[in-house]
């Protein structure tokens, strides 16, 4: 039986085996604080690839040391890191999945404690590996340090850092690049009027607030060439009156399409504290709306946990792809389980596990 969820999808000549993809998920597991992937990352990503996903996205990876969310984030600002990433892409490819990496700058939400374990409030102090965060404006995220406002030179350095990280990522074997423009990190901070109070060419009008994101996209495309598919992850709304919202997201998404972006990964929130009406598929309407208004392929995310729900989303054309996050942490074999539930004869179930599926 054919199933929409298991139809391959092609982006710029890269055929991806199905429509169940793994979104970026920070592990905060680099205990050495040097940005270099460890055995944990190898095992974690390897198991997700073995579980049958079409594409596995490596977590938000700092394009510069101060672009990390926490000191324990992955980084891609030097060659030693790039070398270590080769093991990850080889492992993901060995299991038949495509490998993506989310290139990120955390902006004013940088130098925070990792999201698990005990830790105090606020930012990580210098003696624990922390640093002074930067942002579009000296406006703090609730409970965090006031960021240093980026100068024009500082903004240019951010673009250069994305270029260098993109080059290293492609050289390390990644098939797809994702630019992190969501969740209240630097590029989203520039987009949203709540975090961007600049009066220069990077603030004010929507064109100006989107300038840095478009510069990053153009610069990365110029660096890596036409072959490499590029995804941009956006928050469709700040969930707050007067903040970033769906109409602005749709406008910027269509510009991104004109600038050669191949897909929008549609998330929401993260820039300011907000009440978010969480529930099954709660962000899907944003993805569908962006798909319809721009004609661009989209990836939907957010509590898509059930095989039939996932199949219906793709079959009805509400999204081109579903991203399964926490459910794939609970069960890295979710795609295999979905195939079984949907009576799809998955040709890439791991052969050594055959007896488990008879
Ligand atoms: C442990 C964890 C880490 C995450 N790290 C990232 C990240 O690095 N980049 C990102 O864009 N989203 C990140 N997210 C958000 C997920 O990619 C996803 O959008 C979110 O979990 C909602 O999908 P789900 O309901 O399927 O989990 C993270 C989520 C979790 C649970």
């Amino acid at each position: 039986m054919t199933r929409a969820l298991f139809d391959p999808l092609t982006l710029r000549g890269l055929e991806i085996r199905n429509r169940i993809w793994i979104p970026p998920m920070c592990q905060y597991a680099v205990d050495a604080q040097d940005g270099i992937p460890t055995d944990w990352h190898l095992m974690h990503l390897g198991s997700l690839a073995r579980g049958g996903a079409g594409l596995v996205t490596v977590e938000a990876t700092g394009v510069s040391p101060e672009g990390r969310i926490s000191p324990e984030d992955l980084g891609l600002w030097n060659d030693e890191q790039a070398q270590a990433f080769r093991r990850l892409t080889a492992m993901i490819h060995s299991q038949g999945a495509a490998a993506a990496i989310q290139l990120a700058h955390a902006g004013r939400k940088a130098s925070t404690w990792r999201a698990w374990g005990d830790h105090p409030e606020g930012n990580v102090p210098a003696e624990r590996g922390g640093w002074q965060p930067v942002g579009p404006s000296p406006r703090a995220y609730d409970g965090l340090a006031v960021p240093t406002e980026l100068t024009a030179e500082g903004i240019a350095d951010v673009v250069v850092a994305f270029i260098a990280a993109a080059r290293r990522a492609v050289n390390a074997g990644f098939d797809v690049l994702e630019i992190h423009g969501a969740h209240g990190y630097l590029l989203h901070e520039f987009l949203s009027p709540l975090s961007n109070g600049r009066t220069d060419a990077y603030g004010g009008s929507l064109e100006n607030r989107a300038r840095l994101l478009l510069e990053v996209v153009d610069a990365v495309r110029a660096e890596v060439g036409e072959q490499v598919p590029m995804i941009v992850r956006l928050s469709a709304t700040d969930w707050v009156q007067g903040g970033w919202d769906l109409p602005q997201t749709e406008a910027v998404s269509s510009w991104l399409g004109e600038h050669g972006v191949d897909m929008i990964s549609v998330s929401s929130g993260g820039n300011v504290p907000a009440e978010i009406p969480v529930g099954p598929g709660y962000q899907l309407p944003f993805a569908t709306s962006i798909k319809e208004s721009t004609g661009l392929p989209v990836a939907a995310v957010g509590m898509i946990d059930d095989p039939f729900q996932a199949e219906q989303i793709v079959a009805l054309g509400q999204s081109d792809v579903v991203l399964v996050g926490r459910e794939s942490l609970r069960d890295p074999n979710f795609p295999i389980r979905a195939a079984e539930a949907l009576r799809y004869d998955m040709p890439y179930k791991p052969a050594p596990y055959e007896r488990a599926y008879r």
Side-chain angles (χ1 to χ4, degrees), residues 151-172:
T151 60
E153 220 175 32
I155 291 176
D157 288 346
V158 167
V159 177
V160 169
F162 270 96
I163 296 173
R167 182 179 54 242
R168 288 196 170 97
V170 171
N171 289 341

Side-chain angles (χ1 to χ4, degrees), residues 3-6 19-21 279-282 284 300-315 318 321-331 333-343:
R3 290 293 192 180
L5 204 49
F6 294 96
R19 313 293 181 103
I20 309 176
W21 296 5
Y282 68 103
L284 174 63
V301 71
M303 293 186 72
I304 301 170
D305 296 347
D306 175 81
F308 292 91
Q309 173 201 24
E311 168 65 16
Q312 192 177 35
I313 288 169
V314 178
Q318 294 168 330
V321 158
V322 292
L323 300 167
V324 178
R326 286 162 294 178
E327 181 62 13
S328 67
L329 299 183
R330 291 185 284 268
D331 177 10
N333 296 318
F334 175 80
I336 298 177
R337 178 154 59 84
E340 297 276 301
L342 294 165
R343 300 185 194 290

Side-chain angles (χ1 to χ4, degrees), residues 61-148:
T61 296
V63 296
S64 60
E66 67 282 3
R68 291 170 296 168
I69 302 167
S70 82
E72 290 81 16
D73 285 22
L74 290 177
L76 200 39
W77 63 83
N78 67 40
D79 291 337
E80 196 187 352
Q81 294 159 344
Q83 185 59 33
F85 272 96
R86 285 176 183 273
R87 286 203 314 158
L88 302 188
T89 55
M91 170 72 101
I92 293 169
H93 289 150
S94 75
Q95 301 307 304
I101 183 168
Q102 186 183 49
L103 301 177
H105 192 302
R108 68 176 183 165
K109 284 171 65 179
S111 192
T112 58
W113 298 95
R114 60 176 158 201
W116 46 269
D118 291 334
H119 52 74
E121 298 287 304
N123 290 85
V124 178
E127 65 273 18
R128 297 286 299 275
W131 58 92
Q132 166 60 29
V134 298
S137 300
R139 296 183 184 181
Y141 184 87
D142 228 35
L144 295 179
V146 177
T148 303

Side-chain angles (χ1 to χ4, degrees), residues 24 27 50 130 200 227 229 234 320 322 336 343:
Q27 301 298 293
R50 183 216 52 210
D200 64 2
Q227 299 298 313
L234 294 174
D320 298 276
V322 292
I336 298 177
R343 300 185 194 290

Side-chain angles (χ1 to χ4, degrees), residues 6-332:
F6 294 96
D7 270 355
L9 179 85
T10 301
L11 292 179
R12 287 197 187 237
L14 173 74
E15 189 181 271
I16 300 172
R17 63 185 173 184
N18 64 42
R19 313 293 181 103
I20 309 176
W21 296 5
I22 306 298
M25 284 183 283
C26 278
Q27 301 298 293
Y28 308 107
V30 185
D31 289 340
Q33 301 190 342
D34 57 7
I36 298 177
T38 66
D39 283 353
W40 172 266
H41 298 94
L42 190 66
M43 182 272 300
H44 159 69
L45 296 161
S47 69
L48 292 166
R50 183 216 52 210
L55 174 135
V56 175
T57 311
V58 172
E59 67 192 68
T61 296
V63 296
S64 60
E66 67 282 3
R68 291 170 296 168
I69 302 167
S70 82
E72 290 81 16
D73 285 22
L74 290 177
L76 200 39
W77 63 83
N78 67 40
D79 291 337
E80 196 187 352
Q81 294 159 344
Q83 185 59 33
F85 272 96
R86 285 176 183 273
R87 286 203 314 158
L88 302 188
T89 55
M91 170 72 101
I92 293 169
H93 289 150
S94 75
Q95 301 307 304
I101 183 168
Q102 186 183 49
L103 301 177
H105 192 302
R108 68 176 183 165
K109 284 171 65 179
S111 192
T112 58
W113 298 95
R114 60 176 158 201
W116 46 269
D118 291 334
H119 52 74
E121 298 287 304
N123 290 85
V124 178
E127 65 273 18
R128 297 286 299 275
W131 58 92
Q132 166 60 29
V134 298
S137 300
R139 296 183 184 181
Y141 184 87
D142 228 35
L144 295 179
V146 177
T148 303
E149 180 174 324
L150 280 169
T151 60
E153 220 175 32
I155 291 176
D157 288 346
V158 167
V159 177
V160 169
F162 270 96
I163 296 173
R167 182 179 54 242
R168 288 196 170 97
V170 171
N171 289 341
F174 285 101
D175 308 295
V176 175
L177 300 179
E178 177 170 308
I179 307 295
H180 199 347
H183 300 165
Y185 297 114
L186 188 69
L187 298 175
H188 181 179
E189 291 161 20
F190 271 83
L191 290 173
S192 173
L194 299 178
S195 39
N196 182 347
R198 299 180 75 95
T199 53
D200 64 2
Y202 293 92
S205 67
L206 181 61
E207 286 79 2
N208 282 358
R209 283 179 279 123
R211 190 177 305 282
L212 176 57
L213 174 60
L214 291 168
E215 282 182 2
V216 166
V217 161
D218 287 346
V220 167
R221 174 61 71 208
E223 181 67 25
V224 303
E226 297 300 317
Q227 299 298 313
V228 182
M230 205 192 305
I231 298 171
V232 171
R233 190 165 229 208
L234 294 174
S235 284
T237 174
D238 284 339
W239 295 105
V240 167
Q241 278 293 334
W244 184 247
D245 58 16
L246 182 61
Q248 295 176 80
T249 308
E250 291 185 344
V252 169
S253 297
S254 87
W255 297 341
L256 290 169
E258 290 161 13
H259 286 247
V261 167
D262 301 290
M263 174 178 270
I264 308 294
S265 171
V266 185
S267 188
S268 75
N271 196 33
V272 286
E275 292 276 316
I276 303 181
V278 175
Y282 68 103
Q283 296 170 142
L284 174 63
F286 298 133
T288 308
S289 184
I290 292 167
K291 180 176 170 61
E292 282 169 359
S293 69
T294 65
L296 279 174
V298 295
V301 71
M303 293 186 72
I304 301 170
D305 296 347
D306 175 81
F308 292 91
Q309 173 201 24
E311 168 65 16
Q312 192 177 35
I313 288 169
V314 178
L316 295 179
Q318 294 168 330
S319 181
D320 298 276
V321 158
V322 292
L323 300 167
V324 178
R326 286 162 294 178
E327 181 62 13
S328 67
L329 299 183
R330 291 185 284 268
D331 177 10

